[in-house]
Structure formats: structure tokens, C-alpha cells
């Protein structure tokens, strides 16, 4: 029996001439399986790319923050003095009396690289996470960076706990709350600077989102055209 | 003629009706629209009046989805299904045994790292005794054989305490191999919980027992083989150090491995759902709707 397409249901229907029982002709499960597998593949590919990008951007930004904070501690400076001073190119004398020739250290380049990374992260958050609300995606992004720059507290907490439980004499000297706290405050200050740069990249992120949307729309229409062509050829 | 599986359909009140016909239930499983791919989870199933067919309308594009279909007559689909199920079982066994061997390998690593300190303590103590007995002799290296008489006469608990004892083992392990154990077991547990999507949480715990049993069995065999080997060979500080700390390092690493594996199994699915929710728009997340429907949750972008 040849099926006919019912216009109201848009389904291929076969009606038994003996008992008048109607059945729907379906696609072969193998072809359905592959179309479903393609959709899963697309979803997993997006997750993979986004996870890798998140890992790279968060890793690089927090790595730069940690390195810059360590350098600021080495120079006995606050985060703001350190950031401003990086571009002055003057030789300075630190509190401990060490004279530092700034331009040799490449601090200006390090700060510019960090700012560029933050700008890229800002564009990425705006363009590719448009399905989340503004506050939600920015809070999540900042929270992820905050957790990464505060990871030292896990090690410090574990060391303190272990030292107090086992009374290990070798560990007590290594656990110094003040050092941990001062370094963390400088990292948080640098993180706030990074957030400001990320937000400043918003005007670039919005056009990038529109471009991405247009590209996705074009891709979707192309797929739809192909599917309609294949359907017409089958019928 | 086959109808939609019963477990995917929730009954509604028989008095309710729809422009297409009488409502008979709601789709509770994961079924995508053939036109636009929208997930039809939660859509009403209607007994269509014209052909008496069971259908559900896509709320996005209006396409009717037929729930009454011809059964498959070909044998190859069943054969492929059986082959895939067999392959899946083999992969699951390989993964479970691999997880067990990972725990065992990290137990051996933990023993090796912790044996270094005790090895030096034993060798130094033996050297001191040797020089006190033979004042004119040269000091012994760490690799020199150790006499059984000296080993049986020495206070082993004092040597163990001198090396830092249990707290030193815990500290050194937590700074080295247990970090790897934590991440590897969390990752394998998460993968296992997603791979066994149809399995309930209580059964997942049973599945976690298999790799732990493998780790225990291999560890017992390994330790026994090494004890037998020690009876055949000359004693050295390294082997004696391992022998003294095995009873601490192997059980603690296996127990921790099991705990981390179970944590991974419990956290795997919620974590996968969270990542999918963060990274994907609803339209794409619907392709992974099984992550939600397997735990009886509402997939993103579907209407109840």
C-alpha cells in the first residue's frame, strides 16, 4: 500500500483497505539514530569548545594575577601602586631598599597581556553566553575567577588542620595567615581591575554576538533547505 | 502495531479535550519533533478523531508526532542492538577493571613515596649498628643487604616513629599521589554515572564496588607475591621499608579511592547537567535531554 500525506497532520498515513485501521509510516530508526547522534555531537562539540576556552581564559588570567601579585609582594607595593608604577619606567627603591629598573622586568607588557586576556574573556562571555541573563553570566564568570585566585586558602586550611590534628612540628612554620591574607588581598585588587577591563569589552561583545547569531541563522537555514530538498526528492 | 511505551506516558483526566481530539496522556520521555527537533517532553497525547491515531503536537512548529507506528520487520536492527549491548558490556568491564588497577597503581605509588624516608632510617640504623660492631670497617651503602638477625632484634616501631609515623605517611601521600587519586577517581566516577544513565543511585553504588573489589584483589596478590619474594632473597632497606608501611598505605589509598569514586558517581550527573545548562542554549541542550529524563527531571526548554 502506498502511503498518502494527510494535509492536516503532515504525516504519511497508510489505511488498511480491509479493516480501515490507520497507521503512520515512519522513518527507519537507523536514519533517526544518525540525526539524533548529529544533534548530540553538535551539543557535545559546543560544550567541549566552551570548556576548553573557559579553561584557557580562566587559567591564563588567574595565572597572570598570581604572577603579578607575587611580583607586587616582591616589590613591597600595593596592587594600585604596582599597576601605575609598571608604566612609569622609573627606577624605584622599594621599602626593603632594593633599586628596581622597571622596564627591564617587562611588567608593562605583562599587564597589557592580562588586560588583553580580560578583554577577550569579556567578548567571549557577552557573545557566546547570550542565552543567560546579563547578571547571571557575569556573576558566574567573576565567581569562577574569584574561586581560582582564592585557591591558596584550600592549601592553607588543609595545612593548618593537618598541623593541628597531627601536631607536626615541621608544618607550623609554613602556615602564616598574614602572608596568605596580604597576597590574597593584592590578587583580589588585581581581579577587580580585570573585571573592569572585561566590562569595558562589552561594546565589542555585543556586535560579536549579532555576527554569531547571523552566522548560526544562515547555517540553520542552509540545513533546513537541504532537509526540504531531500524530503521533496523522496516524495 | 506498536504503541508508545507505557512508562513514557502519564495519564490525564479523561474529560480533558484538545482541538485534535480527546487527551489520553502526557509524553514523559525524551522524544524530539521530526520537523524542528523540539523536545516533546510534557506534551499532551491526543486520540486523533479522524484516523483514531495517537498523536502529539509540537508547540513550536505545530507538526504532529505519531505515537502509533509499524513494528520493525527486519532482523538487523535487533542484531545491531545485541552487538552494541555486548560491546557496551565489554567496555564497561574494561573501564571497571582499569579503575581498579588505577587505584592499585596509586597504592603502589603511595607506598614507594612513603618508603623513601623509612628506607633511609632503616639503612642509617643498620649502618650505625654495623659500625659499632666493626669500628674499622667502611660505612655501608643503602643497597647493602641487611642481616636477618639485626632486623629481628631491632625495635621496628621506634624506627617507624623516627620516620614520622602515620602522620608523615598521611601528609606525604596527601601532597602527592592522593591528589592524583582524587581527580582520577572523581573523573572516572562521573564518567561512570553518565555512562550508566538508566541506573538508579543505589545501583550505582553497587557498580562502584566492582572496581574497588578488583583493587583489593590485585593488592592482596601483589603484597603476598612480594612477601614470598622476600623469603627467597636477601633483605634490603627498601624492601623492609615497603613491608612496614604496606599495612597503612594500601588500605588507606583503596578506601580513599572508593570514597572519591562514589563522590564522582554521585556528582557526575548533576555536574554534567550544570555544564550543559551553562554552555548550551535550550535548543542545543535538548539533544542531551536524557541527562534530565534519566533522573526524572524536566529537561531545559520543555513545557510541563
Amino acid at each position: 500500500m502506498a502511503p498518502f500525506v494527510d494535509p492536516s497532520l503532515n504525516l504519511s498515513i497508510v489505511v488498511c483497505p480491509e479493516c480501515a485501521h490507520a497507521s503512520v509510516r515512519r522513518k527507519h530508526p537507523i536514519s533517526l539514530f544518525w540525526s539524533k547522534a548529529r544533534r548530540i555531537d553538535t551539543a557535545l562539540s559546543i560544550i567541549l569548545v566552551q570548556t576548553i576556552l573557559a579553561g584557557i581564559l580562566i587559567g591564563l588570567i588567574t595565572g597572570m594575577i598570581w604572577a603579578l601579585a607575587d611580583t607586587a609582594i616582591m616589590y613591597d607595593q600595593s596592587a594600585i601602586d604596582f599597576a601605575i608604577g609598571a608604566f612609569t619606567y622609573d627606577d624605584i627603591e622599594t621599602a626593603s631598599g632594593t633599586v628596581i629598573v622597571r622596564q627591564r622586568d617587562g611588567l608593562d607588557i605583562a599587564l597589557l597581556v592580562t588586560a588583553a586576556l580580560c578583554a577577550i574573556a569579556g567578548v567571549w562571555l557577552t557573545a557566546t553566553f547570550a542565552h543567560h541573563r546579563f547578571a547571571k553570566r557575569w556573576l558566574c564568570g567573576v565567581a569562577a575567577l574569584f574561586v581560582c585566585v582564592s585557591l591558596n586558602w584550600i592549601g592553607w586550611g588543609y595545612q593548618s588542620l593537618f598541623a593541628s590534628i597531627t601536631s607536626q612540628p615541621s608544618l607550623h612554620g609554613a602556615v602564616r595567615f598574614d602572608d596568605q591574607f596580604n597576597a590574597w588581598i593584592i590578587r583580589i585588587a588585581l581581579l577587580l581591575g580585570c573585571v573592569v577591563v572585561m566590562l569595558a569589552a562589552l561594546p565589542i561583545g555585543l556586535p560579536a554576538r549579532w555576527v554569531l547569531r547571523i552566522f548560526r541563522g544562515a547555517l540553520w537555514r542552509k540545513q533546513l533547505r537541504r532537509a526540504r530538498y531531500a524530503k521533496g526528492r523522496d516524495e | 502495531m506498536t504503541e508508545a511505551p507505557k512508562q513514557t506516558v502519564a495519564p490525564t483526566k479523561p474529560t480533558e479535550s484538545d482541538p485534535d481530539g480527546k487527551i489520553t496522556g502526557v509524553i514523559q520521555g525524551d522524544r524530539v519533533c521530526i520537523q524542528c527537533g523540539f523536545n516533546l517532553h510534557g506534551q499532551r497525547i491526543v486520540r486523533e478523531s479522524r484516523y483514531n491515531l495517537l498523536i502529539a503536537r509540537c508547540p513550536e512548529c505545530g507538526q504532529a508526532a505519531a505515537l502509533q507506528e509499524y513494528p520493525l520487520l527486519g532482523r538487523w536492527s535487533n542484531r545491531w542492538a545485541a552487538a552494541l549491548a555486548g560491546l557496551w558490556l565489554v567496555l564497561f568491564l574494561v573501564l571497571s577493571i582499569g579503575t581498579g588497577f588505577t587505584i592499585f597503581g596509586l597504592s603502589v605509588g603511595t607506598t614507594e613515596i612513603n618508603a623513601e624516608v623509612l628506607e633511609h632510617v632503616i639503612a642509617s640504623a643498620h649502618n650505625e649498628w654495623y659500625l659499632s660492631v666493626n669500628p674499622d670497617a667502611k660505612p655501608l651503602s643503602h643497597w647493602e643487604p641487611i642481616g636477618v638477625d639485626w632486623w629481628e632484634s631491632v625495635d621496628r616501631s621506634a624506627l617507624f616513629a623516627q620516620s614520622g609515623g602515620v602522620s608523615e605517611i598521611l601528609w606525604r601521600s596527601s601532597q602527592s599521589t592522593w591528589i592524583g587519586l582524587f581527580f582520577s577517581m572523581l573523573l572516572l566516577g562521573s564518567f561512570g554515572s553518565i555512562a550508566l544513565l538508566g541506573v538508579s543511585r543505589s545501583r550505582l553504588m553497587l557498580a562502584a564496588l566492582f572496581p574497588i573489589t578488583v583493587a583489593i584483589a590485585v593488592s592482596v596478590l601483589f603484597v603476598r607475591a612480594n612477601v614470598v619474594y622476600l623469603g627467597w632473597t636477601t633483605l634490603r632497606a627498601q624492601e623492609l621499608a615497603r613491608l612496614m608501611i604496606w599495612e597503612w598505605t594500601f588500605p588507606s589509598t583503596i578506601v580513599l579511592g572508593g570514597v572519591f569514586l562514589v563522590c564522582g558517581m554521585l556528582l557526575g550527573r548533576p555536574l554534567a547537567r550544570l555544564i550543559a545548562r551553562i554552555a548550551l542554549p535550550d535548543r542545543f541542550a535538548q539533544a542531551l535531554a536524557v541527562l534530565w529524563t534519566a533522573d526524572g527531571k524536566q529537561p531545559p526548554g520543555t513545557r510541563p
Side-chain angles (χ1 to χ4, degrees), chain B residues 5 75 79 106 128 164 170 205 239 275 277:
Chain B
R75 289 178 184 173
R79 285 174 187 160
L106 286 165
E128 273 178 33
L170 292 176
M205 300 304 106
E239 279 107 23
I275 291 170
R277 286 290 287 166

Side-chain angles (χ1 to χ4, degrees), chain A residues 4 6-11 13-15 20-30 32-33 36 39-40 42-44 46-47 50-51 128-129 131-132 136 140 155 158-159 162-163 166 168 170-171 216 220 224 228 231, chain B residues 1-2 20 30 32 34-39 48 50-53 55 57 62-66 68-72 77 80 84 164 167-168 170-171 174-175 272 275-288:
Chain A
F4 63 93
D6 181 272
S8 63
L9 298 174
N10 195 24
L11 293 171
I13 292 172
V14 183
V15 179
H21 190 94
S23 295
V24 178
R25 188 183 171 195
R26 66 165 164 169
K27 278 187 180 178
H28 197 276
I30 289 174
L32 286 176
F33 170 80
K36 199 172 179 181
R39 285 168 56 80
I40 291 172
T42 310
L44 291 179
I46 293 171
I47 288 178
Q50 292 287 60
T51 312
T128 64
F129 287 92
H131 52 283
H132 291 299
K136 193 177 171 185
C140 282
Y158 177 71
Q159 277 193 355
F162 197 88
T166 60
Q168 280 264 39
S170 60
L171 293 175
R216 274 185 190 160
W220 172 245
L224 212 64
R228 281 175 184 160
K231 197 176 174 185
Chain B
M1 201 75 66
T2 55
D20 280 325
D30 178 25
V32 293
I34 53 166
Q35 185 81 14
C36 67
F38 187 82
N39 197 324
E48 187 268 337
R50 198 164 165 195
Y51 302 102
N52 209 25
L53 290 171
I55 61 161
R57 286 266 182 201
Q63 170 67 41
Q68 229 169 0
E69 294 154 339
Y70 271 131
L72 285 169
S77 58
W80 278 114
L84 281 172
S167 62
E168 182 66 23
L170 292 176
W171 175 249
S174 63
Q175 299 290 304
I275 291 170
R277 286 290 287 166
I278 290 173
L280 297 172
D282 287 351
R283 191 161 65 86
F284 290 104
Q286 281 174 14
L288 305 175

